[in-house]
Amino acid sequence: MSDGPTPKPWIEGIHAYVPGKARAADGRELVKLSANENPLGTSPAALAALTQAAPPARYPDPDAGALREGIGALHGIDPVRIVCGTGSDELLNLATQGYAGPGDEVLFTRYSFAVYDIAARRCGAVPVEAPDADYGADVDALLAAVTERTRVVFLANPNNPTGSFLPGSEVARLHAGLPRDVLFVLDQAYAEYLAPEDDDGGLALAARHDNVLVTRTFSKIYGLAGERVGWATGAPGIVDTLNRIRGPFNVTNHGQAAALAALGDQRFVERSRDHNKAELARFSDAIGALGNHGLRALPSKGNFVLVLFEGALAAAAALDGLADAGFAVRHLPGQGLPRALRITIGTREQMDAVAQTLRAMAEAVR
């Protein structure tokens, strides 16, 4: 037995986050439809800003002041109520660390973002899964799972990996049913893909209440996944808590510059949203046409589709077949989804090829 340091017992319960793959088992590079990246790439304005950022030898602005000003101007938020992070992942972890600890409970819906479970265990808290409603959040089930030990409640809206979405009325009902001393974290990583009429009211909730934190990211529609930039907004007290425990230089010079430039290119955002809307509908219809083979596409408000394999073609076999055809998609047995694949919306040609491959495989095992 080792005489070295012993990790805290709750650390051993963490299953490290598994990122989407980009290569086949034999090393071949695949078309990456496994990480919900923007198929249109990155705004030209953001790319230009990357070449003009402060040199790596200089520390970045520790407060990301210009970026917070830009976010505040776009969304009508006082920059004092904004904190930036190394992707929204860091902020989700900080929220849990700031408000939960050993013996406390962190609540979320089954089939939610994998980071919630990790964030809870990281600080010694107990992750609690509420039952889902056809792979989506159920407000009544969440409220029924709240106990006196609940300290943080996570809701991803739209939800990753299922694509489900709660309307603003249900989000407000969930918040209203929570004790005032419970932090409600609304993870809006895919919010920019929503139509304006689908706004779930999260930013307004965060502006009015002292126990709401909304997180967003530049990794998805803004196409800056590699720069790791996220932000959150909430009451000044919550923002102060996160600022106390975050890394002092957590967003790089390049990340801050690119994100600020990306905010100013809303035409790129609109083009990305329009592309996703069209291809999401087309691909969902193509999967729907395979319903007689046991394939089902869950309704999605994100830039991906969770395809269920409920017939003769198994998800694991489809994963291998798509890899043979040159595509990497996401299989999530570790999240209780062994019979599903999450497929990112790519280009029109890519989605047609994925649909055709799935059809050929489904018909071959009929």
Side-chain angles (χ1 to χ4, degrees), residues 10-179:
W10 53 80
I11 299 299
E12 295 180 355
I14 295 176
H15 297 284
Y17 182 80
V18 179
K21 295 181 179 179
R23 292 185 179 276
D26 60 7
R28 285 179 299 116
E29 187 168 352
L30 304 175
V31 174
K32 191 179 178 187
L33 301 180
S34 59
N36 300 342
E37 296 159 339
N38 189 336
L40 303 189
T42 307
S43 156
L47 291 175
L50 285 170
T51 67
Q52 301 163 10
R58 293 187 180 179
Y59 282 108
D61 174 2
D63 298 317
L67 178 56
R68 288 168 45 243
E69 291 279 353
I71 293 168
L74 180 64
H75 294 284
I77 304 171
D78 184 344
V80 171
R81 300 173 68 98
I82 297 171
V83 56
C84 293
T86 309
S88 57
D89 285 5
E90 181 192 22
L91 300 166
L92 298 171
N93 278 283
L94 291 176
T96 312
Q97 181 183 348
Y99 292 91
D104 295 331
E105 294 178 349
V106 175
L107 176 62
F108 46 88
T109 299
R110 181 191 301 145
Y111 309 129
S112 290
F113 187 31
V115 165
Y116 305 156
D117 183 279
I118 295 172
R121 296 179 190 274
R122 233 179 121 172
C123 62
V126 178
V128 177
E129 287 189 350
D132 65 292
D134 194 21
Y135 299 92
D138 182 321
V139 170
D140 292 319
L142 281 165
L143 292 176
V146 173
T147 73
E148 62 181 12
R149 295 183 297 277
T150 304
R151 299 270 61 85
V152 179
V153 174
F154 281 111
L155 175 69
N157 208 40
N159 181 56
N160 172 25
T162 67
S164 62
F165 179 74
L166 284 185
S169 58
E170 285 293 275
V171 173
R173 185 166 75 87
L174 172 57
H175 172 258
L178 296 176

Side-chain angles (χ1 to χ4, degrees), residues 174-260:
L174 172 57
H175 172 258
L178 296 176
R180 298 300 89 188
D181 62 348
V182 170
L183 178 65
F184 177 40
V185 181
L186 185 56
D187 178 356
Q188 294 186 336
Y190 299 90
E192 287 84 3
Y193 282 107
L194 297 173
E197 60 270 21
D198 285 332
D199 176 22
D200 66 10
L203 293 180
L205 273 181
R208 294 196 307 267
H209 299 280
D210 291 336
N211 67 333
V212 179
L213 181 74
V214 173
T215 64
R216 292 203 179 184
T217 183
F218 285 90
S219 296
K220 304 307 177 186
I221 207 166
Y222 285 106
L224 288 171
E227 294 303 321
R228 311 306 302 126
V229 187
W231 62 277
T233 183
I238 299 175
V239 170
D240 177 67
T241 296
L242 270 58
N243 273 321
R244 287 173 183 269
I245 56 178
R246 68 173 174 84
F249 301 101
N250 57 341
V251 184
T252 67
N253 287 322
H254 283 77
Q256 291 185 39
L260 181 58

Side-chain angles (χ1 to χ4, degrees), residues 309-331:
F309 292 79
E310 301 170 326
L313 177 61
L319 177 73
D320 292 340
L322 287 169
D324 289 342
F327 297 95
V329 299
R330 195 73 183 272
H331 191 209

Side-chain angles (χ1 to χ4, degrees), residues 111-112 135 161-162 298 306-308 315 330-342:
Y111 309 129
S112 290
Y135 299 92
T162 67
L298 294 182
L306 191 73
V307 179
L308 304 180
R330 195 73 183 272
H331 191 209
L332 297 164
Q335 286 184 248
L337 294 165
R339 301 176 66 187
L341 296 177
R342 192 194 67 190

